[in-house]
Amino acid sequence: GKADYTHPLGKSSRLEAGIKTSFVSTDNEVVYLRDTSSGWYIDALRTNHFLYDENINAAYFSFNSRINKWELTGGLRAENTNTNGFQAQNDSSFKRHFTHLFPHIGAVFNLDEKNQLSFSYARRIKRPDYNSLNPFTYFLDSLTYGQGNPYLQPQFSNNIELSHTFNRILTLTAGYTQTNHIIATILKQNTEKKTTFETKENFGRMKQFSVSVSLNRQWHKWWTINVYTNLFHNQYQGFYTSGTANAPVIISLTGFQTTISSSFSISETCDAELSGWYYSKMPEGLIIGQPMGSLNAAISKQLWNKKASLKIGVRDILRTQNFRGDSRYADVDISFFNDRRMDNPQYNLSIVYKLGRSNSKPGRERENSAAEEQSRVKSGNN
């Protein structure tokens, strides 16, 4: 549940404040059975029961004001977290109680009608997904398995950005982010047994320098294009724990990503879309993903006096959305490849029919107070 309050301060300023509290309780049990000549019996090494309760209380205030050519904003959010976890397999439990502050400030200076300069700083928190906290073992193949980490803690980042916008069409942004206690996907191995397992851990820190360009332009009445390109340099620094020793790990990577989408108006009732994206080498924690991309297209047609619409689309036309990755640190040297060429391209067909009057006002949209918690619920170990 949450409550928000807005108080105008004159014509160009306002004060906002709010409170929120959330309670999450999970109860997960997994039972592994083995078949022997004498019948089925419970595999006690893999069977587990995990209980986790979480309570987060938050309060915030922010101030917004417009003074001549300046647009100013600033605020502070306080979050209090209380968690309890219990793992039946090794009869272990943990409790955590902590409070953190998250300030943010921003300023926009309107040089003239076509040029804007902006600056922002924010401290943020990212909490682990609930399934990442779950210590259960799930198998990927005969020699590889995944396992959650109930001792995961949130990661904290400080982000600074400076940007220039021209004519509300072209934006150039330079940014710096430092993240501590990164929630990273880590591949570990048992060298003697020749088995590998995937888990999540809080790994050291990450520094990122980035420069991005975004373009949103309607070139003609029938053609609109959106382009986003980001050049970045990431550096990860921390320790890989094998259970017996800590090995220092430093990973540096420079890469870029780009996304382009175009929409075309063929007629008053018919539109087409062409989009694509490309990633160079991309870091996912300590996993380095190889270049990949996708080309997509779609066409839509309005029917029956615009009461219905038909859309046909195709994704990954060139069959290039195949993930390949590597992990190389300490005694870990692993390469893997997810071949989706048999599944791609993917075709989809959608039909939408509008009921009721077309000129009726839409209902007021309200933000779900549990949206953040729901985003941390995953399925299928994804």
Side-chain angles (χ1 to χ4, degrees), residues 123-339:
R123 184 173 189 254
R124 300 186 178 96
I125 183 174
K126 180 182 178 181
R127 303 177 186 276
D129 299 330
Y130 298 117
N131 72 313
S132 297
L133 294 165
N134 195 326
F136 295 173
T137 297
Y138 55 92
F139 288 89
L140 304 175
D141 55 50
S142 61
L143 298 177
T144 311
Y145 63 93
Q147 192 171 40
N149 180 4
Y151 303 105
L152 266 182
Q153 298 192 37
Q155 69 178 33
F156 300 90
S157 62
N158 291 279
N159 177 260
I160 299 175
E161 286 188 349
L162 180 65
S163 64
H164 171 250
T165 301
F166 173 72
N167 204 24
R168 302 187 185 277
I169 295 175
L170 181 66
T171 300
L172 175 66
T173 303
Y176 170 75
T177 300
Q178 178 169 316
T179 305
N180 297 319
H181 307 298
I182 311 164
I183 300 174
T185 300
I186 295 181
L187 294 176
K188 291 193 170 186
Q189 68 184 27
N190 186 319
T191 306
E192 295 180 356
K193 295 182 179 180
K194 297 182 179 180
T195 59
T196 303
F197 71 96
E198 176 188 280
T199 188
K200 300 276 189 178
E201 286 190 358
N202 293 108
F203 176 84
R205 69 173 184 267
M206 183 271 287
K207 296 180 180 180
Q208 181 185 76
F209 301 88
S210 65
V211 177
S212 64
V213 178
S214 62
L215 173 68
N216 184 356
R217 177 74 183 275
Q218 183 176 4
W219 291 100
H220 301 282
K221 291 183 179 180
W222 52 271
W223 181 28
T224 300
I225 186 170
N226 292 277
V227 179
Y228 174 80
T229 300
N230 181 34
L231 175 68
F232 62 87
H233 175 77
N234 287 9
Q235 184 182 71
Y236 295 83
Q237 186 172 357
F239 289 90
Y240 166 78
T241 304
S242 62
T244 58
N246 294 331
V249 177
I250 298 178
I251 297 176
S252 294
L253 177 66
T254 300
F256 76 95
Q257 62 186 89
T258 184
T259 302
I260 302 175
S261 64
S262 292
S263 59
F264 308 89
S265 178
I266 300 175
S267 67
E268 185 179 352
T269 60
C270 186
D271 297 300
E273 300 174 11
L274 183 65
S275 64
W277 57 267
Y278 174 80
Y279 293 167
S280 67
K281 284 187 176 183
M282 294 289 291
E284 180 62 36
L286 301 188
I287 298 175
I288 306 301
Q290 298 300 313
M292 61 186 297
S294 178
L295 179 65
N296 316 306
I299 187 168
S300 60
K301 172 71 174 177
Q302 294 181 329
L303 306 170
W304 303 318
N305 198 24
K306 298 184 178 181
K307 289 186 176 181
S309 63
L310 173 68
K311 185 174 183 179
I312 301 174
V314 55
R315 296 177 56 189
D316 196 15
I317 299 173
L318 303 178
R319 297 183 177 182
T320 53
Q321 191 176 339
N322 302 296
F323 182 78
R324 293 176 295 141
D326 303 281
S327 284
R328 293 187 174 93
Y329 45 84
D331 61 344
V332 176
D333 188 350
I334 301 172
S335 299
F336 43 90
F337 176 50
N338 182 14
D339 191 348

Side-chain angles (χ1 to χ4, degrees), residues 350-369:
S350 63
I351 301 174
V352 177
Y353 186 83
K354 299 178 182 179
L355 300 174
R357 296 179 297 176
S358 60
N359 60 351
S360 60
K361 295 182 179 180
R364 179 183 174 187
E365 293 186 2
R366 297 181 182 273
E367 182 182 355
N368 185 349
S369 62

